[in-house]
Structures are given as C-alpha cells and as structure tokens.
Amino acid sequence: MANPDDPPRPVHWPRRLAVAALLVGVLLMSVFAWRAWRQHDYQTRLAAGEIQVETLRGWMTLSYIERVHGVPEERVREVLGLPASGGDDLSLHDWFGAQGIEPLEGRKKVEALILERRSALQEPDR
C-alpha cells in the first residue's frame, strides 16, 4: 500500500501517448512523401519520352498497351511473332511463356515500339 504522506506520482502515459502518435505521424508522412516523389519522378520520365523496361509489366495485355501507349495491337503481334488473332485476354507474361520468348528480350521489343510511336507523334509535320 502506498503511504498517504507520499507525494502523488506523476502520470506519464499522456505524454508517452503523444510522443508515440507524433512518431507514427512522422513515419506515415515520410512513407507517403516517398511514394509521391516516386510517382512524380515516374510521370516526369514518362512525359519526357523515357520508357524503361520496368514501366512494362507482365500483367499488361496487348489491348492495354494499345490503349495506354498507342501502339497498335497488330504491330505488337507482328514484332513479337504472335498469331494475328486470338488470346485477347493473355498478358505479356503469358504470351512470352507460350511463344518461348525471353521476357527481357520481348519487353525490349515492345519498349522499342513504344519509343518509335512516341517519336513519330513528336515529329513536326513537314
């Protein structure tokens, strides 16, 4: 039992809770700031016409590449040696596996098509 003559003990838990909340807030702010910076960097590189292999993902379908990057699906099929029709729901990863295409090589071919398309759009009319 506590002696009634002892001074009351200070309560530290509100201060500790405030410090913990502050640290969690700073951590969350840092994470979201890092993500925002990465997204800004990606958008800047995309706007400058720089396409890196990492911007192409294995889940992307040929129709998705056509919609996002403007490369006709028929042209991608031609360059990769894919059948002229069918497999509309297959991803790049699935196509590479089915056709025996090395993923890095296939991605480089698609990347080259995207860069070719972008440079054709940026050329001034003559």
Side-chain angles (χ1 to χ4, degrees), residues 12-51:
H12 293 290
W13 67 268
R15 183 179 303 164
R16 290 181 181 153
L17 183 62
V19 169
L22 180 65
L23 291 176
V24 168
V26 168
L27 177 67
L28 285 173
M29 184 181 64
S30 299
V31 167
F32 286 110
W34 178 73
R35 289 180 62 194
W37 177 80
R38 287 206 27 163
Q39 183 65 26
H40 172 72
D41 183 54
Y42 171 77
Q43 291 296 333
T44 303
R45 288 188 307 129
L46 196 61
E50 298 174 23
I51 298 294

Side-chain angles (χ1 to χ4, degrees), residues 5 19 24-26 30 46 49 67 69-70 77-78 93-94 96-99 105 110 121 123-124:
D5 294 334
V19 169
V24 168
V26 168
S30 299
L46 196 61
R67 275 193 320 271
H69 297 291
R77 288 178 181 270
E78 176 186 325
H93 180 266
D94 296 337
F96 294 160
Q99 298 294 330
E105 180 183 324
V110 175
L121 290 175
E123 286 182 5

Side-chain angles (χ1 to χ4, degrees), residues 29-116:
M29 184 181 64
S30 299
V31 167
F32 286 110
W34 178 73
R35 289 180 62 194
W37 177 80
R38 287 206 27 163
Q39 183 65 26
H40 172 72
D41 183 54
Y42 171 77
Q43 291 296 333
T44 303
R45 288 188 307 129
L46 196 61
E50 298 174 23
I51 298 294
Q52 302 295 325
V53 172
E54 70 259 13
T55 60
L56 295 174
R57 302 286 185 208
W59 58 263
M60 293 180 177
T61 61
L62 302 180
S63 60
Y64 179 86
I65 292 170
E66 182 174 20
R67 275 193 320 271
V68 172
H69 297 291
V71 178
E73 185 176 332
E74 297 79 26
R75 181 78 174 118
V76 176
R77 288 178 181 270
E78 176 186 325
V79 168
L80 294 177
L82 305 177
S85 63
D88 295 334
D89 58 342
L90 293 178
S91 65
L92 284 176
H93 180 266
D94 296 337
W95 276 117
F96 294 160
Q99 298 294 330
I101 300 171
E102 180 66 33
L104 186 58
E105 180 183 324
R107 287 179 186 205
K108 284 184 179 183
K109 287 180 180 180
V110 175
E111 178 183 336
L113 287 174
I114 293 169
L115 289 173
E116 178 182 297

